[in-house]
Amino acid sequence: AVRALLIAALGLTQLPQHRIEALADQDWSRVWLKDFKPMRFGKRVWICPTAYTPPEPDAVNILLDPGLAFGTGTHPTTALCLEWLDGLELAGRAVLDYGCGSGILAIAAARLGARRIWGVDNDPQALTATRDNARLNQVEAQVTSFTPDALPAVRADMLAANIMAGPLVALAPRLAALLKPGRPLALSGSLVDQATE
């Protein structure tokens, strides 16, 4: 059935040389982490799996165990947001990370000097991962996480929303209300053909 679907989807008469084998069931959410190595973003930020020693001890090093939540820096939208944060002056600022996933952007903002960071996600696993990763990086005093309904009335100096285009469009009025006028905003996660939306 899989061969037939591939042949039809690819418009072929037969598949090129291939191999099919049954794989033992594994914790697939963890398997890919064996290839997760320290990565640099911008000039100062490194994301380092907990199994590694940070390659630049004096850099802004973020230790990360993403768990089941989205956000390791390997996805281009997360990488772009990390580079954006690295280029901002965050000292003493309040930052909102809407769709916080693993907490990677919130933690990066804290490590870059932000005084207060709110992480928002509708996934309970993401809120747990954000809290755990904030504690791991010793920024739990600056980073707090909320469901969208539980978020207090805040006004952020900077806002990052790394989610998909549909939710970004739907959330536009809410995001605008949560950000101080004229302050930096990063909306990431849209496909090229969704940009005009």
mmCIF file of all heavy atoms in Angstrom, residues 107 110-111 132-142:
data_model
loop_
_atom_site.group_PDB
_atom_site.id
_atom_site.type_symbol
_atom_site.label_atom_id
_atom_site.label_comp_id
_atom_site.label_asym_id
_atom_site.label_seq_id
_atom_site.Cartn_x
_atom_site.Cartn_y
_atom_site.Cartn_z
ATOM 1 N N ILE A 107 13.503 31.949 27.462
ATOM 2 C CA ILE A 107 14.764 31.765 28.186
ATOM 3 C C ILE A 107 15.873 32.579 27.532
ATOM 4 O O ILE A 107 16.681 33.217 28.221
ATOM 5 C CB ILE A 107 15.119 30.268 28.281
ATOM 6 C CG1 ILE A 107 14.075 29.562 29.159
ATOM 7 C CG2 ILE A 107 16.530 30.059 28.816
ATOM 8 C CD1 ILE A 107 14.037 28.064 28.996
ATOM 9 N N ALA A 110 15.501 36.110 28.619
ATOM 10 C CA ALA A 110 15.968 36.283 30.002
ATOM 11 C C ALA A 110 17.491 36.305 30.068
ATOM 12 O O ALA A 110 18.082 37.156 30.728
ATOM 13 C CB ALA A 110 15.413 35.166 30.889
ATOM 14 N N ARG A 111 18.121 35.370 29.370
ATOM 15 C CA ARG A 111 19.584 35.308 29.391
ATOM 16 C C ARG A 111 20.220 36.502 28.687
ATOM 17 O O ARG A 111 21.364 36.847 28.938
ATOM 18 C CB ARG A 111 20.074 33.994 28.751
ATOM 19 C CG ARG A 111 19.636 32.728 29.478
ATOM 20 C CD ARG A 111 20.129 32.636 30.923
ATOM 21 N NE ARG A 111 21.552 32.804 31.041
ATOM 22 C CZ ARG A 111 22.449 31.833 30.941
ATOM 23 N NH1 ARG A 111 22.060 30.598 30.733
ATOM 24 N NH2 ARG A 111 23.730 32.100 31.050
ATOM 25 N N ASP A 132 10.333 23.863 33.356
ATOM 26 C CA ASP A 132 11.492 23.004 33.613
ATOM 27 C C ASP A 132 12.766 23.602 33.008
ATOM 28 O O ASP A 132 13.825 23.627 33.648
ATOM 29 C CB ASP A 132 11.278 21.602 33.050
ATOM 30 C CG ASP A 132 10.209 20.819 33.810
ATOM 31 O OD1 ASP A 132 9.804 21.256 34.909
ATOM 32 O OD2 ASP A 132 9.759 19.774 33.280
ATOM 33 N N ASN A 133 12.669 24.088 31.765
ATOM 34 C CA ASN A 133 13.843 24.662 31.108
ATOM 35 C C ASN A 133 14.254 25.996 31.726
ATOM 36 O O ASN A 133 15.442 26.306 31.790
ATOM 37 C CB ASN A 133 13.601 24.788 29.603
ATOM 38 C CG ASN A 133 13.639 23.436 28.918
ATOM 39 O OD1 ASN A 133 14.461 22.580 29.248
ATOM 40 N ND2 ASN A 133 12.746 23.225 27.967
ATOM 41 N N ALA A 134 13.298 26.771 32.200
ATOM 42 C CA ALA A 134 13.636 28.024 32.900
ATOM 43 C C ALA A 134 14.398 27.717 34.190
ATOM 44 O O ALA A 134 15.396 28.368 34.512
ATOM 45 C CB ALA A 134 12.374 28.827 33.193
ATOM 46 N N ARG A 135 13.944 26.695 34.900
ATOM 47 C CA ARG A 135 14.629 26.283 36.137
ATOM 48 C C ARG A 135 16.033 25.787 35.810
ATOM 49 O O ARG A 135 17.011 26.157 36.485
ATOM 50 C CB ARG A 135 13.819 25.190 36.833
ATOM 51 C CG ARG A 135 14.290 24.844 38.228
ATOM 52 C CD ARG A 135 13.383 23.818 38.924
ATOM 53 N NE ARG A 135 11.970 24.118 38.819
ATOM 54 C CZ ARG A 135 11.096 23.442 38.045
ATOM 55 N NH1 ARG A 135 11.497 22.399 37.337
ATOM 56 N NH2 ARG A 135 9.833 23.781 37.994
ATOM 57 N N LEU A 136 16.166 24.975 34.779
ATOM 58 C CA LEU A 136 17.462 24.447 34.362
ATOM 59 C C LEU A 136 18.450 25.573 34.042
ATOM 60 O O LEU A 136 19.635 25.465 34.324
ATOM 61 C CB LEU A 136 17.274 23.546 33.138
ATOM 62 C CG LEU A 136 18.524 22.947 32.506
ATOM 63 C CD1 LEU A 136 19.207 21.968 33.463
ATOM 64 C CD2 LEU A 136 18.158 22.246 31.195
ATOM 65 N N ASN A 137 17.937 26.662 33.466
ATOM 66 C CA ASN A 137 18.783 27.795 33.079
ATOM 67 C C ASN A 137 18.819 28.899 34.127
ATOM 68 O O ASN A 137 19.323 29.986 33.868
ATOM 69 C CB ASN A 137 18.315 28.342 31.730
ATOM 70 C CG ASN A 137 18.709 27.426 30.607
ATOM 71 O OD1 ASN A 137 19.827 27.480 30.129
ATOM 72 N ND2 ASN A 137 17.799 26.542 30.186
ATOM 73 N N GLN A 138 18.248 28.617 35.290
ATOM 74 C CA GLN A 138 18.268 29.532 36.431
ATOM 75 C C GLN A 138 17.655 30.896 36.109
ATOM 76 O O GLN A 138 18.128 31.935 36.565
ATOM 77 C CB GLN A 138 19.698 29.677 36.975
ATOM 78 C CG GLN A 138 20.272 28.352 37.404
ATOM 79 C CD GLN A 138 21.721 28.422 37.831
ATOM 80 O OE1 GLN A 138 22.387 29.435 37.668
ATOM 81 N NE2 GLN A 138 22.227 27.332 38.364
ATOM 82 N N VAL A 139 16.563 30.880 35.329
ATOM 83 C CA VAL A 139 15.838 32.115 35.018
ATOM 84 C C VAL A 139 14.364 31.997 35.406
ATOM 85 O O VAL A 139 13.524 32.758 34.924
ATOM 86 C CB VAL A 139 15.988 32.517 33.527
ATOM 87 C CG1 VAL A 139 17.427 32.881 33.194
ATOM 88 C CG2 VAL A 139 15.465 31.424 32.598
ATOM 89 N N GLU A 140 14.053 31.053 36.297
ATOM 90 C CA GLU A 140 12.653 30.855 36.688
ATOM 91 C C GLU A 140 12.051 32.076 37.378
ATOM 92 O O GLU A 140 10.834 32.251 37.370
ATOM 93 C CB GLU A 140 12.470 29.589 37.549
ATOM 94 C CG GLU A 140 13.125 29.637 38.910
ATOM 95 C CD GLU A 140 14.560 29.132 38.930
ATOM 96 O OE1 GLU A 140 15.240 29.169 37.888
ATOM 97 O OE2 GLU A 140 15.015 28.712 40.007
ATOM 98 N N ALA A 141 12.882 32.947 37.946
ATOM 99 C CA ALA A 141 12.365 34.171 38.571
ATOM 100 C C ALA A 141 11.884 35.173 37.524
ATOM 101 O O ALA A 141 10.986 35.971 37.790
ATOM 102 C CB ALA A 141 13.432 34.815 39.449
ATOM 103 N N GLN A 142 12.457 35.130 36.326
ATOM 104 C CA GLN A 142 12.070 36.073 35.267
ATOM 105 C C GLN A 142 10.995 35.509 34.340
ATOM 106 O O GLN A 142 10.235 36.258 33.750
ATOM 107 C CB GLN A 142 13.278 36.450 34.392
ATOM 108 C CG GLN A 142 14.339 37.243 35.113
ATOM 109 C CD GLN A 142 15.636 36.456 35.171
ATOM 110 O OE1 GLN A 142 15.750 35.496 35.915
ATOM 111 N NE2 GLN A 142 16.599 36.848 34.366
#
